[in-house]
Short mmCIF file of all heavy atoms in Angstrom, two decimals:
data_model
loop_
_atom_site.label_atom_id
_atom_site.label_comp_id
_atom_site.label_asym_id
_atom_site.label_seq_id
_atom_site.Cartn_x
_atom_site.Cartn_y
_atom_site.Cartn_z
N GLN A 28 74.56 40.77 0.40
CA GLN A 28 75.79 40.23 -0.14
C GLN A 28 76.20 41.01 -1.39
O GLN A 28 77.39 41.24 -1.63
CB GLN A 28 75.59 38.76 -0.49
CG GLN A 28 76.88 37.99 -0.70
CD GLN A 28 76.62 36.51 -0.91
OE1 GLN A 28 75.49 36.03 -0.81
NE2 GLN A 28 77.67 35.78 -1.23
N ASN A 50 85.74 47.05 19.13
CA ASN A 50 85.69 48.07 18.09
C ASN A 50 85.33 47.43 16.76
O ASN A 50 85.35 46.19 16.65
CB ASN A 50 87.03 48.81 17.97
CG ASN A 50 88.16 47.91 17.51
OD1 ASN A 50 88.17 47.45 16.38
ND2 ASN A 50 89.12 47.67 18.39
N GLN A 52 85.92 47.95 12.46
CA GLN A 52 86.63 48.64 11.40
C GLN A 52 85.89 48.39 10.09
O GLN A 52 85.20 47.38 9.94
CB GLN A 52 88.06 48.10 11.28
CG GLN A 52 88.87 48.25 12.54
CD GLN A 52 90.17 47.45 12.51
OE1 GLN A 52 90.52 46.85 11.49
NE2 GLN A 52 90.90 47.46 13.60
N TYR A 54 86.54 48.41 5.79
CA TYR A 54 87.53 48.38 4.72
C TYR A 54 86.80 48.37 3.37
O TYR A 54 85.67 47.88 3.25
CB TYR A 54 88.39 47.11 4.80
CG TYR A 54 89.29 47.05 6.01
CD1 TYR A 54 88.80 46.68 7.26
CD2 TYR A 54 90.65 47.37 5.90
CE1 TYR A 54 89.63 46.63 8.37
CE2 TYR A 54 91.48 47.32 7.01
CZ TYR A 54 90.96 46.95 8.23
OH TYR A 54 91.79 46.91 9.33
N GLN A 56 87.50 47.21 -0.70
CA GLN A 56 88.38 46.48 -1.63
C GLN A 56 87.86 46.73 -3.04
O GLN A 56 86.76 46.28 -3.40
CB GLN A 56 88.39 44.98 -1.31
CG GLN A 56 89.36 44.20 -2.19
CD GLN A 56 89.43 42.73 -1.78
OE1 GLN A 56 88.55 42.21 -1.09
NE2 GLN A 56 90.47 42.04 -2.21
N GLY A 59 90.00 43.56 -7.98
CA GLY A 59 91.41 43.27 -8.28
C GLY A 59 92.39 43.88 -7.30
O GLY A 59 93.60 43.73 -7.47
N GLY A 60 91.89 44.56 -6.29
CA GLY A 60 92.77 45.24 -5.34
C GLY A 60 92.81 44.56 -3.99
O GLY A 60 92.36 43.43 -3.83
N HIS A 61 93.36 45.27 -3.02
CA HIS A 61 93.45 44.75 -1.68
C HIS A 61 92.59 45.59 -0.75
O HIS A 61 92.27 46.74 -1.08
CB HIS A 61 94.92 44.75 -1.21
CG HIS A 61 95.55 46.12 -1.22
ND1 HIS A 61 96.12 46.67 -2.34
CD2 HIS A 61 95.69 47.03 -0.24
CE1 HIS A 61 96.60 47.85 -2.06
NE2 HIS A 61 96.34 48.11 -0.79
N PRO A 62 92.20 45.04 0.42
CA PRO A 62 91.38 45.82 1.35
C PRO A 62 92.14 47.05 1.83
O PRO A 62 93.33 46.97 2.16
CB PRO A 62 91.13 44.84 2.50
CG PRO A 62 91.32 43.49 1.91
CD PRO A 62 92.39 43.66 0.88
N VAL A 63 91.43 48.16 1.88
CA VAL A 63 92.01 49.42 2.35
C VAL A 63 91.18 49.92 3.52
O VAL A 63 89.96 50.00 3.44
CB VAL A 63 92.03 50.48 1.22
CG1 VAL A 63 92.50 51.83 1.76
CG2 VAL A 63 92.92 50.02 0.07
N PHE A 64 91.85 50.24 4.60
CA PHE A 64 91.20 50.71 5.82
C PHE A 64 90.47 52.02 5.57
O PHE A 64 91.00 52.95 4.95
CB PHE A 64 92.27 50.89 6.90
CG PHE A 64 91.75 51.48 8.18
CD1 PHE A 64 91.13 50.67 9.13
CD2 PHE A 64 91.90 52.83 8.46
CE1 PHE A 64 90.67 51.20 10.32
CE2 PHE A 64 91.44 53.37 9.65
CZ PHE A 64 90.82 52.55 10.58
N GLN A 67 87.66 53.36 11.93
CA GLN A 67 87.46 52.50 13.09
C GLN A 67 86.50 53.21 14.05
O GLN A 67 86.62 54.40 14.30
CB GLN A 67 88.80 52.23 13.80
CG GLN A 67 88.66 51.38 15.04
CD GLN A 67 89.99 50.92 15.58
OE1 GLN A 67 90.50 49.86 15.19
NE2 GLN A 67 90.56 51.68 16.48
N THR A 105 84.00 46.06 -2.88
CA THR A 105 83.43 45.25 -1.81
C THR A 105 83.77 45.91 -0.48
O THR A 105 84.94 46.24 -0.23
CB THR A 105 83.98 43.81 -1.84
OG1 THR A 105 83.66 43.22 -3.11
CG2 THR A 105 83.34 42.97 -0.74
N PHE A 107 83.91 45.66 3.55
CA PHE A 107 84.00 44.70 4.66
C PHE A 107 83.97 45.44 5.98
O PHE A 107 84.65 46.45 6.16
CB PHE A 107 85.33 43.94 4.60
CG PHE A 107 85.48 42.99 3.45
CD1 PHE A 107 86.16 43.38 2.30
CD2 PHE A 107 84.97 41.71 3.52
CE1 PHE A 107 86.32 42.50 1.25
CE2 PHE A 107 85.12 40.82 2.46
CZ PHE A 107 85.79 41.22 1.32
N GLN A 111 86.65 43.42 16.26
CA GLN A 111 87.68 42.98 17.19
C GLN A 111 87.03 42.73 18.53
O GLN A 111 86.30 43.57 19.05
CB GLN A 111 88.77 44.05 17.32
CG GLN A 111 89.99 43.60 18.08
CD GLN A 111 91.14 44.59 17.96
OE1 GLN A 111 91.00 45.64 17.35
NE2 GLN A 111 92.25 44.26 18.56
N TYR A 116 93.88 39.43 21.16
CA TYR A 116 95.20 39.94 20.84
C TYR A 116 95.19 40.48 19.42
O TYR A 116 95.84 39.97 18.54
CB TYR A 116 96.25 38.83 20.96
CG TYR A 116 97.63 39.37 21.27
CD1 TYR A 116 98.38 38.83 22.29
CD2 TYR A 116 98.19 40.40 20.52
CE1 TYR A 116 99.65 39.31 22.56
CE2 TYR A 116 99.44 40.89 20.79
CZ TYR A 116 100.17 40.34 21.82
OH TYR A 116 101.43 40.80 22.09
N GLN A 117 94.42 41.54 19.22
CA GLN A 117 94.29 42.21 17.93
C GLN A 117 93.78 41.29 16.83
O GLN A 117 93.95 41.58 15.67
CB GLN A 117 95.62 42.84 17.50
CG GLN A 117 96.04 43.95 18.41
CD GLN A 117 97.12 44.85 17.82
OE1 GLN A 117 97.68 44.55 16.77
NE2 GLN A 117 97.39 45.94 18.48
N LYS A 118 93.15 40.17 17.19
CA LYS A 118 92.55 39.35 16.16
C LYS A 118 91.28 40.03 15.70
O LYS A 118 90.43 40.42 16.50
CB LYS A 118 92.20 37.95 16.66
CG LYS A 118 91.51 37.12 15.59
CD LYS A 118 91.04 35.79 16.12
CE LYS A 118 90.13 35.12 15.11
NZ LYS A 118 89.62 33.83 15.61
N VAL A 119 91.19 40.19 14.40
CA VAL A 119 90.05 40.86 13.80
C VAL A 119 89.32 39.85 12.92
O VAL A 119 89.95 39.16 12.12
CB VAL A 119 90.55 42.07 12.97
CG1 VAL A 119 89.48 42.56 12.03
CG2 VAL A 119 90.97 43.19 13.89
N PHE A 121 86.78 39.35 9.95
CA PHE A 121 86.16 40.09 8.85
C PHE A 121 84.75 39.59 8.56
O PHE A 121 84.47 38.39 8.67
CB PHE A 121 87.02 39.98 7.58
CG PHE A 121 88.14 40.98 7.55
CD1 PHE A 121 89.29 40.77 8.29
CD2 PHE A 121 88.03 42.14 6.80
CE1 PHE A 121 90.32 41.70 8.28
CE2 PHE A 121 89.05 43.08 6.78
CZ PHE A 121 90.19 42.86 7.53
N GLY A 122 83.89 40.54 8.21
CA GLY A 122 82.55 40.19 7.79
C GLY A 122 82.57 39.56 6.41
O GLY A 122 83.60 39.49 5.75
N THR A 123 81.40 39.11 6.00
CA THR A 123 81.27 38.40 4.72
C THR A 123 81.34 39.32 3.52
O THR A 123 81.49 38.86 2.40
CB THR A 123 79.96 37.62 4.70
OG1 THR A 123 78.90 38.47 5.18
CG2 THR A 123 80.04 36.41 5.62
N THR B 31 102.87 43.83 14.56
CA THR B 31 101.99 42.70 14.28
C THR B 31 101.79 42.52 12.79
O THR B 31 101.52 43.48 12.07
CB THR B 31 100.62 42.89 14.97
OG1 THR B 31 100.83 43.19 16.35
CG2 THR B 31 99.77 41.64 14.86
N TYR B 33 100.10 39.63 9.67
CA TYR B 33 99.07 38.61 9.47
C TYR B 33 99.18 37.98 8.08
O TYR B 33 99.69 38.61 7.15
CB TYR B 33 97.67 39.24 9.54
CG TYR B 33 97.38 40.10 10.72
CD1 TYR B 33 97.82 41.42 10.77
CD2 TYR B 33 96.64 39.62 11.80
CE1 TYR B 33 97.55 42.24 11.85
CE2 TYR B 33 96.36 40.43 12.89
CZ TYR B 33 96.81 41.74 12.91
OH TYR B 33 96.53 42.55 13.98
N TYR B 35 96.23 36.32 5.51
CA TYR B 35 94.82 36.06 5.26
C TYR B 35 94.70 35.28 3.96
O TYR B 35 95.49 35.45 3.03
CB TYR B 35 94.04 37.37 5.08
CG TYR B 35 93.79 38.15 6.34
CD1 TYR B 35 94.71 39.10 6.78
CD2 TYR B 35 92.64 37.96 7.07
CE1 TYR B 35 94.48 39.83 7.93
CE2 TYR B 35 92.39 38.70 8.23
CZ TYR B 35 93.31 39.62 8.65
OH TYR B 35 93.07 40.35 9.79
N GLN B 37 91.88 34.74 0.90
CA GLN B 37 90.61 35.18 0.33
C GLN B 37 90.21 34.23 -0.78
O GLN B 37 90.90 34.12 -1.79
CB GLN B 37 90.71 36.61 -0.20
CG GLN B 37 89.35 37.17 -0.67
CD GLN B 37 89.39 38.65 -0.98
OE1 GLN B 37 90.27 39.13 -1.68
NE2 GLN B 37 88.44 39.40 -0.45
N LYS B 41 85.29 35.69 -2.07
CA LYS B 41 85.79 36.93 -1.47
C LYS B 41 85.79 36.93 0.06
O LYS B 41 86.01 37.98 0.65
CB LYS B 41 85.02 38.17 -1.98
CG LYS B 41 85.09 38.34 -3.48
CD LYS B 41 86.50 38.60 -3.91
CE LYS B 41 86.57 38.91 -5.40
NZ LYS B 41 87.95 38.94 -5.89
N PHE B 42 85.54 35.76 0.68
CA PHE B 42 85.63 35.74 2.14
C PHE B 42 87.08 35.88 2.56
O PHE B 42 87.96 35.19 2.03
CB PHE B 42 85.05 34.44 2.70
CG PHE B 42 83.58 34.28 2.46
CD1 PHE B 42 83.06 33.04 2.12
CD2 PHE B 42 82.72 35.35 2.55
CE1 PHE B 42 81.70 32.89 1.89
CE2 PHE B 42 81.36 35.21 2.31
CZ PHE B 42 80.86 33.97 1.98
N LEU B 43 87.32 36.75 3.54
CA LEU B 43 88.66 36.99 4.06
C LEU B 43 88.82 36.23 5.37
O LEU B 43 88.18 36.57 6.35
CB LEU B 43 88.86 38.48 4.34
CG LEU B 43 89.59 39.31 3.32
CD1 LEU B 43 89.51 40.77 3.70
CD2 LEU B 43 91.04 38.90 3.18
N ASN B 50 103.28 38.61 16.45
CA ASN B 50 103.57 39.87 17.11
C ASN B 50 105.04 39.85 17.52
O ASN B 50 105.44 39.01 18.33
CB ASN B 50 102.68 40.07 18.34
CG ASN B 50 102.94 41.39 19.02
OD1 ASN B 50 103.74 41.48 19.96
ND2 ASN B 50 102.32 42.44 18.55
N ILE B 55 101.00 34.41 17.49
CA ILE B 55 99.96 34.67 18.49
C ILE B 55 98.59 34.18 18.04
O ILE B 55 97.71 33.97 18.87
CB ILE B 55 99.87 36.17 18.85
CG1 ILE B 55 99.71 37.04 17.59
CG2 ILE B 55 101.10 36.61 19.63
CD1 ILE B 55 99.35 38.48 17.89
N ILE B 56 98.39 34.05 16.76
CA ILE B 56 97.13 33.52 16.25
C ILE B 56 97.45 32.43 15.24
O ILE B 56 98.22 32.65 14.32
CB ILE B 56 96.26 34.60 15.58
CG1 ILE B 56 95.82 35.65 16.59
CG2 ILE B 56 95.02 33.98 14.92
CD1 ILE B 56 95.12 36.85 15.97
N GLU B 58 94.97 29.95 13.33
CA GLU B 58 93.63 29.43 13.11
C GLU B 58 93.71 28.00 12.59
O GLU B 58 94.81 27.46 12.41
CB GLU B 58 92.88 30.33 12.11
CG GLU B 58 92.60 31.70 12.67
CD GLU B 58 91.67 31.68 13.86
OE1 GLU B 58 90.46 31.46 13.68
OE2 GLU B 58 92.16 31.89 14.99
N PHE B 90 96.73 37.36 1.29
CA PHE B 90 97.10 38.72 1.64
C PHE B 90 97.92 38.71 2.93
O PHE B 90 97.56 38.06 3.91
CB PHE B 90 95.87 39.59 1.89
CG PHE B 90 95.13 39.98 0.64
CD1 PHE B 90 93.94 39.36 0.31
CD2 PHE B 90 95.61 40.99 -0.17
CE1 PHE B 90 93.24 39.72 -0.84
CE2 PHE B 90 94.93 41.37 -1.32
CZ PHE B 90 93.74 40.72 -1.65
N SER B 94 99.58 45.63 11.31
CA SER B 94 98.68 46.55 12.01
C SER B 94 99.41 47.42 13.01
O SER B 94 100.41 47.01 13.62
CB SER B 94 97.55 45.79 12.72
OG SER B 94 98.03 45.03 13.79
N SER B 95 98.85 48.62 13.14
CA SER B 95 99.36 49.56 14.13
C SER B 95 98.81 49.17 15.50
O SER B 95 97.99 48.26 15.61
CB SER B 95 98.88 50.97 13.78
OG SER B 95 97.46 51.03 13.89
N LEU B 96 99.24 49.88 16.53
CA LEU B 96 98.75 49.61 17.89
C LEU B 96 97.25 49.86 18.00
O LEU B 96 96.56 49.23 18.79
CB LEU B 96 99.49 50.49 18.90
CG LEU B 96 100.91 50.07 19.22
CD1 LEU B 96 101.59 51.10 20.11
CD2 LEU B 96 100.95 48.70 19.87
N ARG B 97 96.72 50.77 17.15
CA ARG B 97 95.29 51.07 17.19
C ARG B 97 94.48 49.94 16.56
O ARG B 97 93.27 49.87 16.72
CB ARG B 97 94.98 52.37 16.45
CG ARG B 97 95.46 53.61 17.17
CD ARG B 97 94.94 54.86 16.49
NE ARG B 97 95.10 54.78 15.05
CZ ARG B 97 94.37 55.48 14.18
NH1 ARG B 97 93.43 56.28 14.61
NH2 ARG B 97 94.58 55.37 12.90
N GLY B 98 95.15 49.08 15.78
CA GLY B 98 94.46 47.94 15.20
C GLY B 98 94.16 48.05 13.72
O GLY B 98 93.84 47.04 13.10
N GLU B 99 94.26 49.24 13.13
CA GLU B 99 93.95 49.33 11.70
C GLU B 99 94.99 48.55 10.91
O GLU B 99 96.18 48.59 11.23
CB GLU B 99 93.90 50.78 11.22
CG GLU B 99 95.20 51.52 11.34
CD GLU B 99 95.07 52.95 10.87
OE1 GLU B 99 95.26 53.19 9.66
OE2 GLU B 99 94.79 53.82 11.70
N GLN B 100 94.51 47.83 9.90
CA GLN B 100 95.39 46.92 9.17
C GLN B 100 95.74 47.48 7.80
O GLN B 100 94.91 48.07 7.12
CB GLN B 100 94.72 45.56 9.03
CG GLN B 100 94.36 44.98 10.39
CD GLN B 100 94.17 43.49 10.37
OE1 GLN B 100 94.55 42.81 9.43
NE2 GLN B 100 93.58 42.98 11.43
N PHE B 102 97.15 46.27 4.20
CA PHE B 102 97.29 45.05 3.43
C PHE B 102 98.30 45.20 2.30
O PHE B 102 98.45 46.27 1.72
CB PHE B 102 95.93 44.66 2.81
CG PHE B 102 95.00 44.02 3.79
CD1 PHE B 102 94.30 44.80 4.70
CD2 PHE B 102 94.82 42.65 3.82
CE1 PHE B 102 93.43 44.22 5.62
CE2 PHE B 102 93.95 42.06 4.73
CZ PHE B 102 93.25 42.85 5.62
N GLY B 103 98.95 44.07 2.00
CA GLY B 103 99.79 44.01 0.82
C GLY B 103 98.91 43.83 -0.41
O GLY B 103 97.70 43.66 -0.30
N PRO B 104 99.52 43.84 -1.59
CA PRO B 104 98.76 43.76 -2.84
C PRO B 104 98.18 42.37 -3.12
O PRO B 104 97.35 42.23 -4.00
CB PRO B 104 99.80 44.13 -3.91
CG PRO B 104 101.10 43.79 -3.29
CD PRO B 104 100.96 44.02 -1.83
#
Side-chain angles (χ1 to χ4, degrees):
Chain A
Q28 196 175 355
N50 65 68
Q52 301 168 6
Y54 293 79
Q56 184 176 18
H61 59 275
V63 174
F64 175 82
Q67 179 170 270
T105 301
F107 292 98
Q111 190 170 2
Y116 207 131
Q117 295 196 350
K118 177 186 169 182
V119 165
F121 276 78
T123 46
Chain B
T31 308
Y33 309 81
Y35 286 89
Q37 187 170 48
K41 301 296 186 190
F42 295 141
L43 261 173
N50 181 267
I55 53 169
I56 295 172
E58 293 296 286
F90 286 104
S94 68
S95 65
L96 284 174
R97 289 189 314 157
E99 63 181 272
Q100 302 201 15
F102 283 78

